[in-house]
Amino acid sequence: MDKSVILIFSIIGFGYFFAHKTTERNELEKGLNKYLYYIALPFTIFLKTAGLKTEIVSLNFTLINSVPILFVYFLIYILWKTKIFGSNFSRTLAVTSTLGNLVYLGLSVISFTQGEEFIGTGAVIAVIQNLVIFTAGVFLLNIICDDGSCLKIFFSKIIKNPLFASSILGILWSYFSFPVPDFVIRFLTEFSKSVTSIALFTVGIGLYGKKITILNINKILIISFFKLVFLPLVVFAWIYFTGESDINYKIVFIQYTMPVAVACYVLAYEFNLEYDVVAQSILFTTILYFFFYPFYNALISLLF
């Protein structure tokens, strides 16, 4: 097994072991999640994008990080419109099937397997996908609604979303080539250093004690199919038929293989989604990701 994967496993395993030894793991997990979601992740996204050259953001690069997500939204809308899925699960599926663990796990995998120099590319991918998810995705969530309250709820929440805000700010900062003061860079860097280890550690804590109930297994499997199978295969086909060989597209594929984001914990509460299904999907897809890892590597070897 790749040494980088062993390292990732080790940090996650240590978090799991620590959760076993503490009686305050729920409070600890919530605290770490809030720290990552509201402070460390936004700081990291801004830091990695504000000073990044925007040449990598070509038309095809932008489209590959948006069209597959929009295609999934279209399918979910059809499934809801034909009453195959109920409205609440459709909204839950829209979030969990497209919002991957691009920062918690994604940047860690990129750093360990491809090198720290590609963290910036991974962050840009997260920015583009977040923009799509928190605009078109929110629009879809408002359409798939049984009453008129969703519009107010979702748009009021998204305006305050720290990942969305940091994404917009980072892109604008990079586009206008504003200088980032050295002190600010050093300040943000100290928080950024904590993301990889704390994120993986938190994933380990989150795995402890979680169970997958038979009642939700069908929904979890549907989410897992969309997130870990369907989306990666769509992106694989895109890269294969367009003949892209640039390593940035390798990073794109890696990010699309990420399991359901830990941030969905927060979004499930904020957006009134099916919290139990979301929580169990994070657990299931995270475990399943490592079983799928050799398969993803095989696909990458066919492309690059």
Side-chain angles (χ1 to χ4, degrees):
M1 182 179 292
D2 192 288
K3 291 182 179 179
S4 58
V5 178
I6 295 176
L7 182 58
I8 293 171
F9 263 128
S10 299
I11 299 175
I12 293 175
F14 185 72
Y16 185 90
F17 175 78
F18 186 84
H20 173 68
K21 294 297 182 179
T22 181
T23 58
E24 300 177 350
R25 55 181 172 271
N26 290 333
E27 291 75 13
L28 176 63
E29 182 184 358
K30 289 179 181 178
L32 290 176
N33 272 323
K34 287 185 177 181
Y35 164 73
L36 289 166
Y37 184 72
Y38 291 105
I39 299 176
L41 295 183
F43 284 2
T44 300
I45 289 175
F46 174 77
L47 178 66
K48 299 300 181 180
T49 55
L52 192 68
K53 300 298 182 182
T54 57
E55 286 81 3
I56 67 168
V57 188
S58 62
L59 177 60
N60 192 39
F61 188 85
T62 302
L63 291 176
I64 197 174
N65 283 296
S66 55
V67 173
I69 295 173
L70 295 174
F71 182 53
V72 169
Y73 289 156
F74 173 74
L75 292 179
I76 293 173
Y77 174 78
I78 296 299
L79 292 169
W80 168 74
K81 197 68 176 177
T82 56
K83 301 187 183 301
I84 295 176
F85 293 155
S87 60
N88 201 27
F89 176 65
S90 296
R91 293 197 300 271
T92 300
L93 179 60
V95 172
T96 54
S97 65
T98 55
L99 185 57
N101 202 339
L102 306 188
V103 182
Y104 275 53
L105 186 59
L107 295 187
S108 300
V109 172
I110 291 169
S111 177
F112 289 148
T113 62
Q114 307 303 316
E116 291 187 6
E117 63 270 26
F118 294 105
I119 288 180
T121 302
V124 170
I125 293 167
V127 167
I128 297 173
Q129 293 192 17
N130 282 335
L131 289 174
V132 175
I133 293 168
F134 293 125
T135 52
V138 169
F139 179 74
L140 174 69
L141 293 171
N142 284 295
I143 294 176
I144 304 175
C145 184
D146 290 331
D147 55 62
S149 64
C150 295
L151 182 65
K152 180 179 179 181
I153 291 173
F154 287 123
F155 276 111
S156 64
K157 297 296 183 183
I158 199 56
I159 291 174
K160 303 173 184 177
N161 186 284
L163 300 181
F164 182 81
S166 62
S167 299
I168 292 292
L169 185 60
I171 287 178
L172 292 176
W173 211 279
S174 176
Y175 180 78
F176 290 106
S177 300
F178 292 141
V180 182
D182 290 340
F183 174 78
V184 174
I185 293 177
R186 293 179 61 185
F187 178 80
L188 298 180
T189 298
E190 292 305 313
F191 287 96
S192 179
K193 289 177 182 177
S194 68
V195 167
T196 298
S197 56
I198 292 181
L200 294 176
F201 182 78
T202 305
V203 169
I205 294 176
L207 293 178
Y208 183 82
K210 299 296 191 300
K211 297 180 179 179
I212 300 172
T213 61
I214 298 299
L215 179 65
N216 293 326
I217 192 62
N218 289 339
K219 293 180 178 180
I220 294 170
L221 289 175
I222 291 170
I223 291 171
S224 300
F225 170 77
F226 272 94
K227 188 69 199 73
L228 297 180
V229 179
F230 184 74
L231 257 181
L233 289 180
V234 169
V235 176
F236 172 84
W238 185 305
I239 297 174
Y240 179 82
F241 287 111
T242 57
E244 293 288 354
S245 58
D246 190 276
I247 191 170
N248 290 322
Y249 287 86
K250 184 177 182 180
I251 307 301
V252 169
F253 182 79
I254 291 174
Q255 287 289 58
Y256 265 113
T257 65
M258 289 299 113
V260 177
V262 178
C264 287
Y265 276 130
V266 179
L267 298 181
Y269 173 77
E270 294 284 343
F271 291 174
N272 298 320
L273 305 177
E274 297 185 13
Y275 184 85
D276 288 342
V277 174
V278 171
Q280 292 171 32
S281 295
I282 294 171
L283 168 64
F284 188 78
T285 57
T286 300
I287 295 173
L288 199 60
Y289 167 78
F290 291 102
F291 285 99
F292 281 14
Y293 187 83
F295 170 69
Y296 295 142
N297 264 349
L299 292 179
I300 287 175
S301 66
L302 293 175
L303 294 174
F304 304 97

